[in-house]
Amino acid sequence: MSFVTDKTQADETNRSGNSATSAHDSVLRLSFNQDYTSLAMGTIKSYFLYTIAQENQTIENRNFEIRPFPNIHQLPYDNVRIIERLYASSLLAVVSDQAPRKLKVCHFKKGTEICSISFPNNIRSVKLNRLKLIVCLDESIYIYNMRDMKVVHMIRDVPVNPDGLCALSSDDKSQYLAYPGSSITGEIQIFDISNLKSGVIISAHDSPLVAMEFDGNGARIATASNKGTVIRIHSVTDGTRLFEFRRGIRRVATIYCFAFSPDSNFLAASSSTGTIHIFRLVTQKEKPTEAPVSWMGTFSRVLEDVAYYLPKQTSEVLTQERAFATVHHPSSETKTIIAITASTDALKLFVAGYDGIVHTYEINTRDGGECQLMNQYSLFQISSSDQTNTFHDGATRKYPPNLLRNETNAIVLTNNAQLADQTYNTAIEQDSFPPLPSPSLGGYDE
């Protein structure tokens, strides 16, 4: 779903030589990298890269700035439907609508392609970590070594998965892949990609899955079904249900994205309602032994006692945890992806919308409640002076002057710091890859 700006203002902007505002409806893909230090955006025209980092700041000045990212070469890719970056390295995996069955792995700083691999069907999703590259098709999944880009395993007969729903753990020691085990129910299949064997099967929901995400160390996985009312977290090793949260009761919603905090103590979920829910992952043993002396505390204890005697479904509704903190996104009809990063004294929530706007919030990890809006930025170039945009949803938003300048097609959310290219003992130089044939799939033209 895409939105355009108000026509009058867009025309005025275009006449002034700045067409970036009208590009808000061209966002095809947004994705954070594995540790939430980078944001990639695929558009009708090309792709864009953004680096996210907290500046060295005092408690009194906790803002983020947007500055150009140097030394990037654009490759001639149009209609970029899938784009994934390997941590802060120069390695990108790209799939274009022009060739939906072809995966291109490129070095964006050199502006060169490392390899190109064709598949028998359209590529639905791509996942990366330091050791493996995952390519998900409708009914099969390919696993590649990142070092030499050789296919090491193929998972066949995957339940029909047109959205390419899957999750890949980023931890080097806990190498797991998760994908739907059924197209009818919310079953999760865990696959051990280190030993290339199937792991536990988790019956997470009654309805088909729409979202899943591993935590940072690959020990837990969060899931949601197409109803979007209940979010569950399970152990990856034995399938034990660890947490259960209720996003809502009356209103069914589509969960867009999950994000764990770096310490795995919080989980955020964005949805089609426009509200981002943040849940605190506290076990019963970690909770205070005595509830506060208040009518709410008494009422909560009564509900727990009554729930024991009620039918299972009703009992679960009464005992499921609610959100610890929330964000009411200004563009409620815009699809969003989210990320949580840590600073010295707080957690920051990044909300990137398919309207091309990024909002940053501060999470109060002690008291919860409504999160404080810190900044909002346009991912497209707009004028250097303050500018108010009116969007299709009728909302008006004013953006500060410290926005993207016209140096490159990438920006940095940091304070002048140029982040070094991280290799992680992974081959990212073009010369490291010998010429590779496509996997023996019979040869398919694009």
Side-chain angles (χ1 to χ4, degrees), residues 147-333:
R147 181 175 295 278
D148 55 13
M149 292 305 300
K150 291 182 179 179
V151 61
V152 295
H153 190 75
M154 178 182 176
I155 304 174
R156 303 177 186 272
D157 301 324
V158 173
V160 178
N161 189 12
D163 296 325
L165 178 62
C166 65
L168 179 65
S169 62
S170 57
D171 187 82
D172 292 343
K173 296 179 180 179
S174 300
Q175 290 283 303
Y176 292 108
L177 168 70
Y179 59 91
S182 169
S183 58
I184 301 174
T185 66
E187 184 178 276
I188 315 167
Q189 174 66 65
I190 302 296
F191 189 86
D192 183 346
I193 59 176
S194 295
N195 301 304
L196 300 178
K197 65 179 183 180
S198 296
V200 66
I201 298 176
I202 305 172
S203 297
H205 303 268
D206 294 331
S207 303
L209 298 166
V210 296
M212 60 175 68
E213 186 66 45
F214 287 102
D215 69 351
N217 57 21
R220 299 182 286 188
I221 185 167
T223 60
S225 74
N226 58 9
K227 292 183 178 180
T229 53
V230 176
I231 294 166
R232 295 188 173 110
I233 300 177
H234 290 82
S235 166
V236 171
T237 55
D238 60 14
T240 303
R241 184 188 298 181
L242 303 174
F243 299 96
E244 184 173 58
F245 302 103
R246 178 158 290 273
R247 185 207 56 79
I249 297 178
R250 296 181 180 177
R251 188 176 179 184
V252 174
T254 299
I255 302 295
Y256 291 139
C257 180
F258 286 126
F260 281 94
S261 62
D263 59 6
S264 297
N265 288 333
F266 294 89
L267 172 72
S270 68
S271 72
S272 56
T273 65
T275 301
I276 292 127
H277 295 81
I278 302 164
F279 305 95
R280 183 165 58 177
L281 310 186
V282 180
T283 64
Q284 291 296 330
K285 293 181 179 180
E286 295 171 325
K287 289 182 179 180
T289 55
E290 296 184 3
V293 180
S294 66
W295 74 269
M296 279 298 295
T298 303
F299 183 64
S300 178
R301 288 195 296 270
V302 169
L303 282 182
E304 292 177 0
D305 294 338
V306 171
Y308 178 81
Y309 300 98
L310 294 175
K312 180 176 182 294
Q313 185 175 4
T314 306
S315 174
E316 287 180 348
V317 171
L318 291 177
T319 58
Q320 286 160 347
E321 296 282 346
R322 300 301 195 272
F324 170 75
T326 55
V327 166
H328 292 91
H329 196 258
S331 299
S332 60
E333 297 182 6

Side-chain angles (χ1 to χ4, degrees), residues 56-95:
N56 295 326
Q57 50 192 297
T58 64
I59 295 178
E60 291 75 24
N61 180 23
R62 293 182 289 189
N63 293 326
F64 288 78
E65 290 185 311
I66 299 180
R67 297 182 183 275
F69 185 82
N71 303 322
I72 181 172
H73 300 274
Q74 288 299 111
L75 292 156
Y77 300 147
D78 296 335
N79 297 306
V80 177
R81 182 68 61 177
I82 297 174
I83 179 168
E84 299 288 336
R85 183 180 181 184
L86 179 63
Y87 286 89
S89 75
S90 297
L91 193 147
L92 288 179
V94 178
V95 178

